[in-house]
Amino acid sequence: MKKYKIGLFGFGCVGQGFFETLNSNTEISAEVVKIAVRQKNQVRKADAKLFVYDIDSVLNDDDIDLFVELIDDPDLALSIVKTALSKGKPVVTANKKMLAENLEELIELQNKYKTPIRYEGAVCGSIPILKNIDTYYNSEKIESIKGIFNGSTNYILSKIFNENISYESALKSAQENGFAESDPTLDVEGHDPKYKLSILASHIFGQVIHPSQIINWGINKLQKHDFDFAKENDLKIKLVAKVEEADNELSLLVAPHFVSKYNPLYHIEDENNIVTIEGAYSGQQILSGKGAGSLPTGLAVLSDVREILKGQGYNYKKSLVLKPIKNDLVEAYVSFSLKHSFVTELFQSITERYVGKDYSYVIGQIKISQLQTIIKLKSVNAIITSGNKIENITSKISYSYA
Amino acid sequence: MKKYKIGLFGFGCVGQGFFETLNSNTEISAEVVKIAVRQKNQVRKADAKLFVYDIDSVLNDDDIDLFVELIDDPDLALSIVKTALSKGKPVVTANKKMLAENLEELIELQNKYKTPIRYEGAVCGSIPILKNIDTYYNSEKIESIKGIFNGSTNYILSKIFNENISYESALKSAQENGFAESDPTLDVEGHDPKYKLSILASHIFGQVIHPSQIINWGINKLQKHDFDFAKENDLKIKLVAKVEEADNELSLLVAPHFVSKYNPLYHIEDENNIVTIEGAYSGQQILSGKGAGSLPTGLAVLSDVREILKGQGYNYKKSLVLKPIKNDLVEAYVSFSLKHSFVTELFQSITERYVGKDYSYVIGQIKISQLQTIIKLKSVNAIITSGNKIENITSKISYSYA
């Protein structure tokens, strides 16, 4: 039986996890024969003979059957994937930013060179969501996908709600425990889950949705009064990514949401992720698991290697008619400092309003495009309330001094 | 593009669901050309010309490429599957009893005739568990699977806990709403989830586990005092099916369990099912969705047709060493009427004991084989407490008059 030769790029968290799961498995006949890394003179948990320090000596090795690309740099990752495809060599990658921003071109190149790429590890770590979207749910009429796609922010929010600590302390704890980068911008501002949503939505709806078409904001500006409001109302705040289809239009959003205990997202803690699928046939389906980590993501990468060795790329179903992206009217809670009280005027309808000495809030219907504008202002925060069971919110007594 | 011809057996709930999902899909090039049913003169939601009333006219039709078997009768289903395989025709089936009781022979026949059968619809309705076990988790070291595999009993238990009604009223409601059969024995005594556990465990551990090797009891004998005990302790009772591997031995069980709100099973209501997987690499993974129903199960059957058309059967990994099945020491709550107080003597250790006028209960460690014996006695009920977070149970004040 032929033993397939793998060229690996990167030996960080996921690279090591993949290496370990591959080596301890007995069913996939493949081995890593070269690993390209940047830094010399580092002690690594693999035979020193495997390591090389220039990418081309791996890319140009004709003995290698497929590449596994697990480096951080999206530009370099893109160049590796494109060179590999041009040589007719399949690639497994987990670089969500690179994939989301270049998906259209990458689909074309796969067709041109009749060579597949796969990237389960790029979306929700250990959860086999792309694989299932691509096969099991291929015949399902998916109406919406909602979920928690980012482990770092979910870890931070869990700490805030379960241990009653501040955003700053929770972020620090996440960084100390390896659940957040030293520069956490991509996570806490909601860019990382946007890349994942872009990839998922493109696979589901058969049209490439570029991340620039998705509105996102994060959890980095949320204030103590916002967390207190949630707690008083028996709600949690979760950073939700979602896409919904209605009347042949798509709604896409990454934003903090209030969720009640009746919502499955409420119970997903720490670095775990969840994907909920609403389908015309199956109703609600849930997949949940670790959204990051060395071995969990390594397993996802390994499962792609298995599929590649069976010659299995993604199906990329193609919608005949492009669906426009909607400027939704959403229900949101918006809190703001007193100098921003013009915010109230932007609501199309108001169900609850509070004016205090230090801050105010309004709950009501507002256009998503207007939310996108005001959320950029300092000390304006918005949390989506619609699409969840929010029965408790309106039971709060409203103090309206205005 | 060739349009594959399907011969369908049965046009009940799942048969109709499969027919509808197949006909409204645009990606699978296949059509149902003949449907074998038993009863003549019935109005059915399909072209009358499709229906035939003898099985052989479908089985012997050489134009048919694959069979979909969705009848109730396990013996007849087995004979259909065996005949089809002997003709080299693949089969999709959802008959869990037939599969579980004959899996060893069916694996041999698939090898002998080099013809696959698939049966996603047989295990947990719409949840793509077999498919994922067979591919994604193939390289995972699965340590345990626990879940709710039966929609009827979960519907009944949800009614009892959420609407505070009796077992009898809840069963009646389940029957009226189509969630339980008029003879509910297979469900309420825990046989149905045992068949599913047998199939799942066989796929995971690479050794055929016959349903007769699995101890099971159900929810049909639970009394008001058992439900009250759960409610007083903020617990729910769920009918759990589980298999665990430890020290190269397997533990298998289908039995009512106490679950606290920290357990994902607690939140699964009505006809929904859940499968939780503990893996060495991925940690805890959760899949959840409808466990029954026409379109949800129809979608699962359709996904098998898609795989069959790609020539994809199951992998059936094979363990080199057969793992023995353990006679576990478990922690259980056992309630009993006064004439059965000898039950107390069977416990190896007791953490809590109550002796009342009408009934008594003991919580403690007991051998599973002894539980199996006493559970057959009238007015003896057992609920497993271990393997869940049961922090609340022992906080209850114990009244010990003995």
Side-chain angles (χ1 to χ4, degrees):
Chain A
M1 195 152 127
K2 177 178 158 77
K3 197 149 193 179
Y4 289 91
K5 293 189 168 59
I6 297 174
L8 174 61
F9 299 92
F11 203 66
C13 170
V14 180
Q16 290 177 52
F18 163 67
F19 189 75
E20 187 176 334
T21 55
L22 175 70
N23 288 342
S24 62
N25 111 88
T26 52
E27 317 242 341
I28 298 175
S29 184
E31 64 182 328
V32 171
V33 294
K34 268 189 191 172
I35 308 173
V37 290
R38 210 167 24 198
Q39 285 179 296
K40 298 186 186 186
N41 308 322
Q42 220 173 304
V43 180
R44 294 186 168 96
K45 283 191 213 158
D47 188 343
K49 278 179 279 178
L50 291 173
F51 293 97
V52 296
Y53 305 95
D54 84 297
I55 282 174
D56 287 339
S57 84
V58 181
L59 266 178
N60 294 330
D61 185 335
D62 289 340
D63 283 348
I64 289 176
D65 299 296
L66 77 150
F67 297 110
V68 175
E69 178 289 298
L70 298 170
I71 62 172
D72 276 341
D73 179 342
D75 297 327
L76 191 52
L78 180 64
S79 126
I80 290 171
V81 171
K82 285 164 81 166
T83 308
L85 289 180
S86 74
K87 290 169 178 283
K89 299 271 174 85
V91 193
V92 175
T93 168
N95 199 309
K96 54 216 79 159
K97 187 172 193 290
M98 179 272 286
L99 289 160
E101 288 182 341
N102 302 283
L103 194 56
E104 187 142 23
E105 185 184 2
L106 290 172
I107 295 173
E108 279 167 20
L109 290 174
Q110 289 177 77
N111 288 332
K112 182 176 169 189
Y113 295 112
K114 298 196 175 22
T115 303
I117 61 177
R118 292 187 71 104
Y119 35 84
E120 187 66 79
V123 182
C124 299
S126 68
I127 304 175
I129 182 62
L130 273 176
K131 178 184 182 55
N132 280 289
I133 290 294
D134 204 60
T135 55
Y136 187 76
Y137 298 110
N138 201 300
S139 309
E140 174 62 287
K141 292 176 186 156
I142 293 181
E143 293 159 355
S144 77
I145 292 243
K146 294 180 193 174
I148 297 170
F149 294 179
N150 181 268
S152 307
T153 48
N154 204 53
Y155 182 93
I156 293 168
L157 292 169
S158 293
K159 285 266 164 193
I160 292 170
F161 277 85
N162 300 333
E163 297 177 18
N164 244 329
I165 59 175
S166 69
Y167 172 78
E168 290 72 23
S169 313
L171 172 60
K172 210 172 148 229
S173 157
Q175 287 168 325
E176 284 167 3
N177 289 291
F179 292 119
E181 307 286 335
S182 52
D183 174 9
T185 316
L186 283 184
D187 295 320
V188 298
E189 291 186 357
H191 301 293
D192 169 89
K194 181 174 62 171
Y195 299 137
K196 295 166 181 168
L197 179 63
S198 146
I199 297 170
L200 261 190
S202 301
H203 275 253
I204 293 165
F205 293 103
Q207 70 185 70
V208 172
I209 292 156
H210 194 271
S212 61
Q213 294 177 279
I214 304 174
I215 292 171
N216 71 291
W217 68 91
I219 63 164
N220 51 313
K221 284 169 58 205
L222 293 176
Q223 304 284 315
K224 186 172 182 304
H225 56 251
D226 302 318
F227 295 118
D228 287 345
F229 179 90
K231 289 173 190 168
E232 283 161 22
N233 289 286
D234 273 334
L235 300 165
K236 287 183 188 171
I237 298 170
K238 293 290 185 186
L239 184 56
V240 175
K242 62 183 184 185
V243 54
E244 292 172 271
E245 185 191 351
D247 306 326
N248 277 314
E249 291 185 305
L250 297 181
S251 305
L252 297 122
L253 183 64
V254 174
H257 281 58
F258 286 124
V259 293
S260 82
K261 64 179 175 181
Y262 302 106
N263 188 316
L265 276 60
Y266 183 97
H267 304 283
I268 302 303
E269 301 288 16
D270 302 327
E271 79 271 29
N272 288 299
N273 281 194
I274 181 172
V275 186
T276 68
I277 303 165
E278 287 289 338
Y281 301 138
S282 55
Q284 189 182 63
Q285 297 262 308
I286 295 173
L287 288 90
S288 176
K290 286 196 172 34
S294 178
L295 292 170
T297 313
L299 180 72
V301 173
L302 182 63
S303 81
D304 277 343
V305 167
R306 166 190 296 275
E307 295 297 323
I308 289 278
L309 295 183
K310 288 196 296 183
Q312 198 64 57
Y314 291 123
N315 285 311
Y316 296 114
K317 72 164 132 180
K318 227 174 153 60
S319 173
L320 296 175
V321 185
L322 285 196
K323 295 183 176 70
I325 291 169
K326 214 168 156 184
N327 179 15
D328 270 319
L329 194 63
V330 294
E331 193 184 285
Y333 152 108
V334 179
S335 71
F336 44 88
S337 63
L338 298 192
K339 68 171 176 177
H340 289 128
S341 41
F342 72 92
V343 158
T344 308
E345 310 303 319
L346 302 176
F347 279 79
Q348 304 216 349
S349 68
I350 290 176
T351 52
E352 185 173 325
R353 191 173 169 191
Y354 165 81
V355 181
K357 270 188 301 181
D358 303 320
Y359 76 100
S360 302
Y361 73 74
V362 174
I363 297 173
Q365 302 266 326
I366 184 167
K367 279 272 178 191
I368 194 83
S369 55
Q370 291 193 295
L371 263 186
Q372 188 185 16
T373 308
I374 59 172
I375 195 67
K376 288 173 188 146
L377 301 169
K378 218 185 145 209
S379 42
V380 174
N381 286 306
I383 303 169
I384 303 292
T385 63
S386 61
N388 298 293
K389 288 193 177 127
I390 48 155
E391 54 272 61
N392 290 317
I393 287 188
T394 44
S395 69
K396 187 168 190 284
I397 298 155
S398 307
Y399 304 97
S400 184
Y401 303 136
Chain B
M1 195 153 125
K2 178 179 160 76
K3 197 148 194 179
Y4 290 91
K5 292 189 169 60
I6 297 172
L8 175 62
F9 299 92
F11 202 66
C13 170
V14 180
Q16 290 177 52
F18 163 66
F19 189 75
E20 188 176 334
T21 55
L22 175 69
N23 289 341
S24 62
N25 110 90
T26 52
E27 317 243 341
I28 298 173
S29 185
E31 63 182 328
V32 171
V33 294
K34 269 188 191 173
I35 308 173
V37 290
R38 208 167 27 197
Q39 284 177 297
K40 297 186 187 185
N41 306 324
Q42 219 171 305
V43 181
R44 294 186 169 95
K45 283 191 211 157
D47 188 342
K49 278 178 281 181
L50 291 172
F51 293 96
V52 296
Y53 305 95
D54 84 298
I55 281 173
D56 287 339
S57 85
V58 182
L59 266 179
N60 295 329
D61 185 336
D62 290 339
D63 283 348
I64 289 175
D65 299 296
L66 75 150
F67 298 110
V68 175
E69 178 290 299
L70 298 169
I71 62 172
D72 276 342
D73 179 343
D75 297 327
L76 191 52
L78 180 63
S79 125
I80 290 172
V81 172
K82 286 164 81 167
T83 308
L85 289 180
S86 74
K87 289 169 177 283
K89 298 272 175 86
V91 193
V92 176
T93 169
N95 199 308
K96 56 216 76 161
K97 187 171 194 290
M98 178 272 287
L99 289 159
E101 288 181 341
N102 302 283
L103 195 56
E104 186 141 23
E105 185 185 3
L106 291 172
I107 294 173
E108 279 167 20
L109 290 174
Q110 289 178 76
N111 287 332
K112 182 176 170 189
Y113 295 112
K114 298 193 176 21
T115 302
I117 62 176
R118 291 186 73 104
Y119 35 84
E120 188 65 78
V123 182
C124 300
S126 67
I127 303 176
I129 182 63
L130 274 177
K131 178 184 181 55
N132 281 290
I133 290 294
D134 204 59
T135 55
Y136 187 75
Y137 298 110
N138 201 300
S139 310
E140 174 62 286
K141 291 176 185 155
I142 293 181
E143 292 159 354
S144 78
I145 290 242
K146 295 180 192 173
I148 298 169
F149 294 179
N150 181 268
S152 307
T153 47
N154 204 52
Y155 182 93
I156 293 168
L157 292 168
S158 293
K159 285 265 164 195
I160 292 170
F161 278 84
N162 301 332
E163 297 176 19
N164 243 330
I165 59 176
S166 69
Y167 172 78
E168 291 70 23
S169 312
L171 172 59
K172 210 172 148 227
S173 158
Q175 287 168 325
E176 284 167 2
N177 289 290
F179 293 118
E181 307 286 334
S182 51
D183 174 10
T185 315
L186 282 184
D187 295 320
V188 299
E189 292 186 356
H191 303 292
D192 169 270
K194 181 175 61 172
Y195 300 136
K196 296 166 181 167
L197 179 63
S198 145
I199 297 170
L200 260 190
S202 302
H203 275 252
I204 293 166
F205 294 103
Q207 70 186 71
V208 172
I209 292 155
H210 194 272
S212 62
Q213 294 176 277
I214 303 174
I215 292 171
N216 70 292
W217 68 91
I219 63 165
N220 50 314
K221 285 169 58 206
L222 294 175
Q223 303 286 313
K224 186 173 181 304
H225 56 251
D226 302 318
F227 296 117
D228 288 345
F229 179 90
K231 288 173 191 170
E232 283 162 22
N233 288 285
D234 273 336
L235 301 165
K236 287 183 186 170
I237 299 169
K238 295 288 186 186
L239 184 56
V240 175
K242 63 182 183 186
V243 54
E244 291 172 270
E245 185 190 351
D247 305 325
N248 278 313
E249 291 185 304
L250 297 181
S251 306
L252 297 121
L253 182 63
V254 174
H257 282 56
F258 286 123
V259 293
S260 82
K261 64 179 175 182
Y262 302 106
N263 188 318
L265 276 60
Y266 182 97
H267 304 282
I268 302 303
E269 301 287 15
D270 302 327
E271 79 271 29
N272 288 299
N273 281 194
I274 181 172
V275 186
T276 67
I277 303 165
E278 287 289 339
Y281 301 137
S282 56
Q284 190 182 62
Q285 298 262 308
I286 296 173
L287 288 90
S288 175
K290 286 196 172 32
S294 179
L295 291 170
T297 314
L299 179 73
V301 173
L302 181 63
S303 80
D304 277 343
V305 168
R306 165 190 297 275
E307 296 297 322
I308 289 277
L309 295 184
K310 288 195 294 182
Q312 198 65 55
Y314 291 122
N315 285 311
Y316 296 114
K317 72 164 132 181
K318 228 174 152 61
S319 173
L320 295 176
V321 185
L322 285 196
K323 295 182 175 71
I325 291 169
K326 212 169 156 185
N327 179 16
D328 270 320
L329 194 63
V330 295
E331 192 184 285
Y333 152 108
V334 178
S335 72
F336 45 88
S337 62
L338 298 194
K339 68 171 174 175
H340 290 128
S341 40
F342 72 92
V343 158
T344 308
E345 310 303 319
L346 303 176
F347 279 79
Q348 305 217 348
S349 67
I350 290 177
T351 53
E352 185 173 327
R353 191 173 171 192
Y354 165 82
V355 180
K357 270 188 302 184
D358 304 319
Y359 76 99
S360 302
Y361 73 75
V362 174
I363 298 173
Q365 303 266 327
I366 185 169
K367 279 270 177 192
I368 194 82
S369 55
Q370 290 191 297
L371 264 185
Q372 187 185 17
T373 308
I374 59 172
I375 194 68
K376 287 174 188 146
L377 301 170
K378 220 186 144 208
S379 42
V380 174
N381 286 307
I383 303 169
I384 303 292
T385 63
S386 62
N388 297 293
K389 291 194 175 126
I390 47 154
E391 53 273 64
N392 291 316
I393 287 188
T394 44
S395 70
K396 187 168 190 282
I397 298 155
S398 308
Y399 303 99
S400 183
Y401 304 137

